[in-house]
Amino acid sequence: MAQDGAEKVIMVDGRPWVASKDNPTKLLIESARRLYGTSNEELMDNAKQFAYYPVAVLKGVDNFSNGTISLKFKTIAGESDRASGILFNVKPNGDWLAVRYNDTENNVALWEFHNGIRRNVKFSDRANRFLLDRSAWHELKMTVDGPDFKSWIDGTLALEYTLGSVLGPGRGGAAPHPDLNPESNPVLRPPVAGKIGLWAKTDSTSYFKDYVVSPK
């Protein structure tokens, strides 16, 4: 728990696991950001020291399937990354799905975690960034109805995805990674069935409140 003004909120804090300042991978990331002028989340994931995800799993909801989850978030700090999200479809083996807002890329994305590696399933439209006020609270909401997944940020539809669908070719026409094939990855196949919670990334420090679960 943490205090935000007069309110008690939940804090997910990734700072205890941050790489040391003189870590070679950290220096590589900082150099890449200076060169390219952006925060590239896929680059961060490929730097293994940064591929960790502080999460909090909700007690009392063992098998969320169809319905709605919403929360308010405020990403208050993060040198390597600033991300806040909803964790869902958490399987007994540790696989999961997460929908998150990234405050350095200003987008919403659906990610999957399988075989120890996180991979993107779908980003919101890169041409329409969500430039949110960092000092304010914002709402992230998701709905699941069988294979149909949707997510909103502050009431605006951010992305839609059909669980179980086969992804198209990647960059240069390359086939998607086998882990993104629903036939070989149960976490991507409907129906959603698993634990839920809160999600963050690397050294993000995120505040959460008003977590509401509404089963269908």
Side-chain angles (χ1 to χ4, degrees), residues 15-212:
R15 288 174 297 179
W17 295 278
V18 71
S20 62
K21 290 186 177 181
D22 58 351
N23 181 282
T25 304
K26 181 178 178 65
L27 297 176
L28 171 64
I29 295 293
E30 291 174 348
S31 297
R33 282 182 167 169
R34 284 195 298 271
L35 287 171
Y36 297 109
T38 187
S39 171
N40 187 307
E41 194 166 1
E42 291 171 295
L43 173 65
M44 297 289 288
D45 278 358
N46 289 330
K48 299 304 182 184
Q49 289 91 332
F50 292 88
Y52 55 89
Y53 313 102
V55 301
V57 177
L58 180 67
K59 294 181 179 179
V61 179
D62 293 329
N63 194 30
F64 174 84
S65 186
N66 294 322
T68 302
I69 302 174
S70 64
L71 56 75
K72 300 283 182 59
F73 72 90
K74 185 192 294 186
T75 311
I76 65 166
E79 181 181 346
S80 300
D81 223 331
R82 297 176 63 102
S84 305
I86 299 171
L87 180 73
F88 68 105
N89 209 24
V90 181
K91 302 300 186 183
N93 67 351
D95 287 355
W96 44 255
L97 293 174
V99 60
R100 65 91 183 106
Y101 173 74
N102 188 304
D103 191 41
T104 59
E105 296 189 343
N106 306 116
N107 61 14
V108 176
L110 176 65
W111 292 87
E112 62 90 29
F113 186 85
H114 180 58
N115 288 335
I117 297 174
R118 186 188 71 145
R119 290 186 171 86
N120 171 254
V121 179
K122 186 172 183 179
F123 283 110
S124 58
D125 185 354
R126 294 177 186 264
N128 297 311
R129 296 194 300 161
F130 295 95
L131 301 173
L132 305 185
D133 179 357
R134 285 184 169 182
S135 65
W137 286 94
H138 301 281
E139 182 189 58
L140 179 65
K141 183 174 79 171
M142 55 163 274
T143 63
V144 180
D145 186 1
D148 298 323
F149 174 85
K150 295 183 176 69
S151 182
W152 292 260
I153 189 80
D154 285 344
T156 299
L157 183 64
L159 62 81
E160 300 178 78
Y161 182 72
T162 301
L163 294 164
S165 59
V166 178
L167 295 181
R171 293 177 182 172
H177 193 279
D179 278 358
L180 292 174
N181 183 349
E183 289 186 1
S184 59
N185 186 346
V187 81
L188 286 173
R189 294 198 299 265
V192 164
K195 292 181 178 293
I196 58 176
L198 304 171
W199 182 95
K201 182 169 185 281
T202 58
D203 65 342
S204 300
T205 304
S206 301
Y207 284 173
F208 297 95
K209 67 177 183 177
D210 298 344
Y211 193 98
V212 179

